[in-house]
Amino acid sequence: MKNKTINIITLGCSKNVYDSENIMGQLAYNGYQVKHNSNEQSDIVIINTCGFIHDAKQESIDTILAAINDKQTGRIDKVFVTGCLSERYKDELPKEIPEVDQYFGTHDMIELLKTFKVDYKHELIGERKLSTPEHYAYMKISEGCDRSCSFCAIPMIRGKHESRSIESLVLEAEILASKGVKELILIAQDLTFYGLDIYGKRKLNELLKALVKVEGIEWIRLHYAYPTGFPEEVIQTIAKEEKICNYLDMPLQHINDEILQSMRRGHNRKVTDNLILKMRQQIPDVAIRTTLIVGYPGETEEKFQELKQWVADAKFDRLGVFTYSHEENTHAGKLNDDVPEEIKKARQEEIMELQAQISYEKNQEKIGHIYKCIFDRLENGFYVGRTEFDSPEVDNEVRVKAENNYIEIGKFINIKIESAEEFDLFGKVINQ
């Protein structure tokens, strides 16, 4: 099949992106022509699905059905499905959509590759084919999750927590750096649990200290840090190490103690507030990104107002809101989904409107200041980049007019902010 072109369509989170990049690397090494999320016609389509919440599942199903239609009309030859949806519904999907040539779960990469007569090569882990711009890359430091959050299906989809060794991660970082990667974005279901399974204690801090020594890596960014049991020495390391961005993605989900207890989060409001306070005291300019869930079973108007007031007081730098999705086979799935969908949506909009105002005020404070930025792309007459306080795709962007300016993509440039909107900063180059 090596004369066939393969298009890998990735749905869901950055952890799926990482998996797709590994599949692409293995296939490309063995001579296949591989594309990612391409609109061009391909012979074979591999869909890496998401199965986390209702909307993501629906997107995955719609994408599968669209590919099946292309297969039936002769535009493509074969359709393969992998990832979270096919892991979660591995018994149901082949019966419901039998037109797919083969389904694979989240742990079936070796079987998927064998379909293409490719033997999985462990030594190619750092040689994956990046789908991101070449100056930044995601790096998955562990797989799975040992938490038991009531609303979450991830443990049943991804399995138990499995850390990778510090040595293997440093080697991957060195390989990525040799290819021009300057920013590493560490991802996992739970960064703060890292190392407990293979070293007997949490080792995120030791991993960070090893990664900052990798020559060529200039930014290290932390995503998905669980608040319960947060290793506080990591706060000190972020504050001390220049390469580690003063940025932390820490999903907090809610603040009402009864809701947190029902969610089985393992922390309460006091613990949450104390952790945020410690971070801001030790890293004064830290940007904290969080995600919240509204409409969880038992979320009364009073509990929602407590959440809303907390958001107003905490003033997070970045914030996203999900409406609660009632998922089968989760602990919360046994509860009464008692908040109507229209109320969930209204609460989501209320929080996001509040956050938009907070973001606008914080961005206005940046006017006149100079920031080190890395630029990701040229778009509609603007160079579009980010500060260390912003992650790709989900956070603020810095825009510089391309007219009378030249900025090399992937290069760090000092930018003076001249104006700001809710989620965009506009500036000019200070030095080339």
Side-chain angles (χ1 to χ4, degrees):
M1 290 194 291
K2 289 189 179 179
N3 61 335
K4 304 285 188 180
T5 58
I6 303 172
N7 181 24
I8 298 184
I9 300 172
T10 304
L11 306 171
C13 67
S14 56
K15 294 177 281 293
N16 266 12
V17 171
Y18 182 90
D19 292 343
S20 290
E21 290 175 348
N22 275 315
I23 295 170
M24 288 193 291
Q26 298 280 339
L27 291 172
Y29 179 83
N30 282 275
Y32 283 95
Q33 291 180 276
V34 188
K35 297 178 284 188
H36 186 254
N37 288 347
S38 175
N39 292 321
E40 299 175 8
Q41 187 169 340
S42 300
D43 300 306
I44 298 168
V45 170
I46 300 173
I47 304 170
N48 191 357
T49 58
C50 180
F52 182 44
I53 59 176
H54 176 269
D55 289 349
K57 290 187 287 186
Q58 190 61 53
E59 182 187 21
S60 293
I61 291 169
D62 290 344
T63 304
I64 294 169
L65 294 176
I68 291 300
N69 183 65
D70 285 344
K71 178 184 175 184
Q72 291 173 337
T73 57
R75 293 188 72 245
I76 57 178
D77 297 332
K78 291 182 180 294
V79 177
F80 298 102
V81 174
T82 186
C84 294
L85 188 79
S86 54
E87 175 69 32
R88 188 173 181 183
Y89 300 104
K90 53 190 169 188
D91 296 327
E92 296 90 340
L93 279 172
K95 299 173 185 175
E96 296 293 329
I97 314 178
E99 296 87 351
V100 168
D101 290 275
Q102 199 165 346
Y103 289 93
F104 302 91
T106 53
H107 304 284
D108 296 339
M109 186 187 298
I110 291 174
E111 287 73 21
L112 171 60
L113 293 172
K114 283 182 179 177
T115 304
F116 296 90
K117 295 182 169 52
V118 169
D119 290 326
Y120 179 80
K121 298 188 186 311
H122 288 277
E123 63 270 24
L124 290 179
I125 286 294
E127 300 285 350
R128 69 183 196 269
K129 186 176 175 64
L130 295 183
S131 60
T132 56
E134 62 182 17
H135 55 276
Y136 73 81
Y138 296 104
M139 191 163 77
K140 190 192 289 188
I141 69 170
S142 63
E143 182 60 276
C145 186
D146 285 357
R147 305 286 185 182
S148 58
C149 299
S150 66
F151 53 84
C152 186
I154 292 297
M156 75 176 78
I157 296 172
R158 289 284 179 172
K160 301 286 283 184
H161 182 100
E162 294 182 14
S163 302
R164 295 174 56 196
S165 70
I166 291 176
E167 292 76 16
S168 69
L169 292 166
V170 169
L171 176 60
E172 181 170 346
E174 290 172 343
I175 293 171
L176 290 170
S178 71
K179 295 183 173 184
V181 169
K182 299 181 177 70
E183 178 182 7
L184 280 182
I185 304 172
L186 305 191
I187 57 174
Q189 268 74 37
D190 181 2
L191 282 184
T192 52
F193 205 83
Y194 173 77
L196 197 57
D197 55 319
I198 58 175
Y199 297 116
K201 62 179 182 178
R202 298 172 191 267
K203 285 276 192 174
L204 178 60
N205 198 52
E206 286 79 358
L207 173 62
L208 292 174
K209 289 183 175 180
L211 290 175
V212 296
K213 296 176 183 176
V214 176
E215 191 173 342
I217 299 298
E218 296 190 45
W219 279 359
I220 298 171
R221 189 179 300 281
L222 304 185
H223 272 215
Y224 318 121
Y226 198 94
T228 302
F230 191 95
E232 293 186 15
E233 65 273 15
V234 168
I235 301 175
Q236 299 164 17
T237 299
I238 295 173
K240 178 182 176 183
E241 295 290 350
E242 188 176 336
K243 283 188 176 183
I244 303 176
C245 296
N246 289 351
Y247 174 101
L248 190 67
D249 185 330
M250 185 169 62
L252 295 171
Q253 312 303 6
H254 215 280
I255 200 59
N256 175 266
D257 283 344
E258 289 182 20
I259 296 291
L260 288 172
Q261 184 176 14
S262 180
M263 285 181 168
R264 303 169 70 139
R265 292 288 288 169
H267 59 91
N268 56 25
R269 176 166 187 162
K270 183 177 180 181
V271 170
T272 303
D273 287 340
N274 285 341
L275 180 57
I276 293 170
L277 180 62
K278 285 178 183 176
M279 288 179 179
R280 287 176 166 169
Q281 285 177 335
Q282 296 184 44
I283 318 168
D285 62 345
V286 66
I288 300 176
R289 174 179 178 78
T290 195
T291 50
L292 305 174
I293 295 174
V294 293
Y296 181 86
E299 185 189 63
T300 61
E301 181 63 26
E302 182 182 8
K303 290 171 183 176
F304 170 70
Q305 290 301 326
E306 179 185 356
L307 176 66
K308 184 178 175 182
Q309 185 60 52
W310 177 68
V311 170
D313 295 338
K315 289 183 167 49
F316 291 101
D317 301 86
R318 316 283 178 256
L319 185 145
V321 182
F322 292 95
T323 56
Y324 170 72
S325 178
H326 206 53
E327 297 296 318
E328 71 272 21
N329 299 321
T330 62
H331 293 290
K334 302 169 187 175
L335 302 176
N336 180 24
D337 187 13
D338 57 356
V339 181
E341 285 301 317
E342 61 269 22
I343 293 180
K344 291 178 185 178
K345 292 287 186 184
R347 290 176 179 178
Q348 179 187 43
E349 290 172 7
E350 275 191 59
I351 297 287
M352 289 311 299
E353 285 175 9
L354 172 59
Q355 182 59 35
Q357 182 61 35
I358 292 169
S359 180
Y360 177 78
E361 292 169 0
K362 283 180 172 283
N363 281 352
Q364 290 297 305
E365 294 171 0
K366 294 179 172 68
I367 295 174
H369 293 271
I370 296 172
Y371 294 93
K372 176 183 175 183
C373 301
I374 193 167
F375 282 82
D376 296 330
R377 65 190 187 278
L378 178 62
E379 176 184 271
N380 298 328
F382 286 90
Y383 289 104
V384 183
R386 296 171 288 112
T387 70
E388 70 172 286
F389 309 109
D390 300 289
S391 199
E393 299 183 8
V394 295
D395 291 328
N396 277 4
E397 292 180 324
V398 176
R399 296 177 181 270
V400 176
K401 281 188 177 180
E403 186 181 2
N404 301 324
N405 286 289
Y406 172 74
I407 296 176
E408 185 179 341
I409 301 301
K411 185 176 180 181
F412 289 97
I413 299 287
N414 287 331
I415 301 296
K416 184 175 182 180
I417 305 303
E418 296 184 310
S419 63
E421 297 177 354
E422 291 172 351
F423 304 110
D424 284 302
L425 301 167
F426 298 86
K428 66 177 181 180
V429 176
I430 293 301
N431 69 305
Q432 290 281 14

